Amino acid sequence: MTDDGAVTRAAAGPAAYWTPGTHILWRYRENGGEHVHIARPVTVVRDDAELLAVWLAPGTECVKPVLADGTPVHLEPLETRYTKPRAVQRDHWFGTGVLKLAQPGRPWSVWLFWDPGWVFKNWYVNLEQPLSRWSGGVDSEDHFLDISVHPDRSWHWRDEDEFAQAQRDGLMDAATAARVRAAGREAVARIRAWGAPYADGWQDWRPDPSWAVPSLPEDWDRTPAHVSS
């Protein structure tokens, strides 16, 4: 902490663990490119050899992709969604916050969503490249295919149409798509077994009320030193 109570940013290298309350960036690279197109400042809840847990607070300023003319990506027809020129835009995370859980080396992270009043809604399995750690946060690349998991332990695939379109548009080759499908099957097996994180009680977790909403740094798109060197 600084004298004014603000949480300092992590300065340790990729192998270090962040203490609870530290502000880091959770970022995604663009598919088929090297630039960051999603950046979300988050607060570390837990970080150790078994799990990284972070809190994305309501109202957090983030960076998201949009079409070059500013149109939200989800409003573009699927057939041209991934081929039209894009830009990035600053925006805020509206609605309730999100708790993100990632086990080191896993090709997915699990997100928890609540309705207003802390009514637990669902878990969301985001299939992605295993997180790459750097001094200021973690980076990944989204793999389009996702899974929703409900409190009654039922589940269903999400965004299979986007997963197929990404392959048609050359953003994912057949070998990568096969690995993503295999990762999805492994994630489903873990859902059916109802082990971590589903049985760990994270839906009852609440953020520390003293935590400030992290700010979006001006250099949110900086290249990690271990990549640029």
Side-chain angles (χ1 to χ4, degrees):
M1 290 279 196
T2 60
D3 291 340
D4 61 1
V7 179
T8 57
R9 294 197 175 277
Y17 295 120
W18 294 295
T19 57
T22 301
H23 293 169
I24 64 172
L25 287 171
W26 185 294
R27 309 192 305 182
Y28 289 96
R29 295 180 300 275
E30 60 187 349
N31 299 96
E34 294 299 323
H35 298 292
V36 172
H37 72 159
I38 293 174
R40 296 166 181 164
V42 294
T43 302
V44 173
V45 175
R46 170 184 162 186
D47 185 32
D48 53 39
E50 302 298 324
L51 184 73
L52 171 64
V54 304
W55 171 241
L56 174 58
T60 301
E61 186 179 19
C62 303
V63 170
K64 68 177 185 180
V66 293
L67 298 187
D69 63 1
T71 300
V73 171
H74 70 276
L75 295 181
E76 179 66 20
L78 187 61
E79 292 75 15
T80 52
R81 188 173 301 173
Y82 302 125
T83 55
K84 283 194 172 182
R86 290 193 178 190
V88 294
Q89 176 179 290
R90 288 175 176 253
D91 203 347
H92 290 82
W93 188 271
F94 294 104
T96 58
V98 181
L99 180 66
K100 298 187 177 189
L101 310 174
Q103 293 177 291
R106 296 270 180 223
W108 66 76
S109 55
V110 180
W111 306 357
L112 284 77
F113 289 87
W114 288 265
D115 286 324
W118 287 104
V119 176
F120 182 64
K121 185 178 180 181
N122 67 283
W123 294 270
Y124 182 92
V125 181
N126 196 72
L127 295 168
E128 59 194 28
Q129 284 187 352
L131 296 179
S132 173
R133 298 171 65 98
W134 56 287
S135 63
V138 291
D139 289 354
S140 181
E141 183 175 312
D142 184 74
H143 282 159
F144 300 97
L145 191 62
D146 306 298
I147 307 168
S148 278
V149 185
H150 303 284
D152 64 1
R153 302 192 184 188
S154 64
W155 62 273
H156 66 271
W157 295 104
R158 294 178 60 103
D159 304 324
E160 290 190 278
D161 55 345
E162 295 186 359
F163 182 62
Q165 188 66 44
Q167 294 172 68
R168 287 192 291 269
D169 290 336
L171 297 180
M172 182 179 294
D173 60 29
T176 301
R179 288 195 297 270
V180 174
R181 276 293 184 188
R185 289 192 294 270
E186 183 183 351
V188 167
R190 291 177 177 273
I191 294 166
R192 288 172 170 160
W194 209 251
Y198 311 102
D200 292 344
W202 282 104
Q203 61 271 31
D204 299 319
W205 173 86
R206 300 292 183 266
D208 186 327
S210 71
W211 284 348
V213 176
S215 59
L216 180 69
E218 290 300 321
D219 60 349
W220 58 266
D221 59 346
R222 65 193 182 276
T223 301
H226 71 277
V227 174
S228 59
S229 61

